[in-house]
Amino acid sequence: MKKALLLLATLGCAMSWVPTYATTIAIDLGPAGRFTGEKTVNFSGLNDLNFNGQALSLDLVFSGNGFVRLFKSTSPTFLLLPMLDVFGAGTIKNPTGSGYLFDEAGNPISSITSFGGSVTTDPGGEAFRLSLGGFFPLLAGGTFPPDIYGAHLDITLPNASAFTVTGGELGLFPSALQRWHNQFQIGDVPDSGCTLFLALIAVVMLFSLDAAMRRCRSM
């Protein structure tokens, strides 16, 4: 009997130490390039999910080793916002929890900012977007953030079984009035032909200057 109790206690301790793994959702950011203004991309992985107050641990990872690069000129209110497309009837609260953006090595960059409030739909049902929480990487303080490779979320969904997830959206919102503050980059972007042409001009000018200086010394 004592051996049986000891075995059960050992199993109980082992189960309590089982790690909780996050569900990974791959997000395709699309082709690499520099962008001005907002950009929204779709993702799936939570479709047909009903809200019953469950806790979720999610890793939103940009596929193809993609990343979001912010510039010194990018608006400090740049917002990275994961959202769920939802359909249902009645009133539903926003999810709550915590999370962070991470770099290529998985190191945290910026913490989540949770939004309160709720959404009330028509009695017959209505489609809308439900925020999972927003990230403001340029307001996090410290050094300028490195490239963003994804986001981790630990959230508790609302208890509202009349609502179902139909899809997902990831919004990239610079939210600035000046065009040059609305710029960001997705993935590696090679130097354009214009940049190479300017570099060539600079090299030619340096050689011309050197030749002129040599002539001056010889006179």
Side-chain angles (χ1 to χ4, degrees):
M1 182 67 177
K2 290 184 178 179
K3 290 184 177 180
L5 291 175
L6 180 61
L7 178 61
L8 289 174
T10 304
L11 288 173
C13 291
M15 292 175 64
S16 66
W17 282 98
V18 173
T20 301
Y21 294 100
T23 299
T24 300
I25 298 177
I27 299 179
D28 184 3
L29 294 174
R34 293 186 177 92
F35 295 86
T36 300
E38 64 183 51
K39 178 179 176 66
T40 304
V41 295
N42 300 324
F43 66 86
S44 58
L46 298 176
N47 292 19
D48 302 322
L49 179 71
N50 284 103
F51 296 92
N52 58 17
Q54 66 269 50
L56 292 180
S57 184
L58 304 174
D59 280 331
L60 307 180
V61 180
F62 304 144
S63 61
N65 203 34
F67 59 88
V68 177
R69 174 172 295 167
L70 306 181
F71 304 118
K72 291 288 186 180
S73 61
T74 304
S75 170
T77 57
F78 180 94
L79 171 64
L80 189 147
L81 182 64
M83 302 168 284
L84 294 179
D85 296 327
V86 177
F87 184 88
T91 299
I92 183 173
K93 294 181 179 180
N94 284 331
T96 58
S98 61
Y100 56 85
L101 301 176
F102 54 82
D103 61 17
E104 187 175 13
N107 299 316
I109 298 174
S110 172
S111 298
I112 193 172
T113 300
S114 296
F115 296 108
S118 61
V119 178
T120 300
T121 68
D122 293 332
E126 188 176 348
F128 59 96
R129 288 177 178 172
L130 192 68
S131 168
L132 293 179
F135 298 91
F136 295 92
L138 295 179
L139 295 179
T143 59
F144 189 76
D147 299 334
I148 301 167
Y149 279 77
H152 176 81
L153 295 166
D154 291 306
I155 57 175
T156 300
L157 298 176
N159 192 358
S161 59
F163 294 86
T164 304
V165 177
T166 60
E169 307 278 342
L170 178 69
L172 305 172
F173 305 120
S175 305
L177 296 178
Q178 297 87 358
R179 177 180 173 85
W180 55 90
H181 291 320
N182 279 326
Q183 295 178 349
F184 61 96
Q185 180 175 312
I186 290 178
D188 283 318
V189 179
D191 288 333
S192 64
C194 180
T195 302
L196 294 175
F197 179 69
L198 291 176
L200 179 60
I201 292 177
V203 171
V204 171
M205 291 180 65
L206 285 174
F207 276 109
S208 299
L209 178 61
D210 181 68
M213 292 178 66
R214 288 176 183 273
R215 286 197 299 269
C216 289
R217 292 194 188 100
S218 64
M219 292 177 63

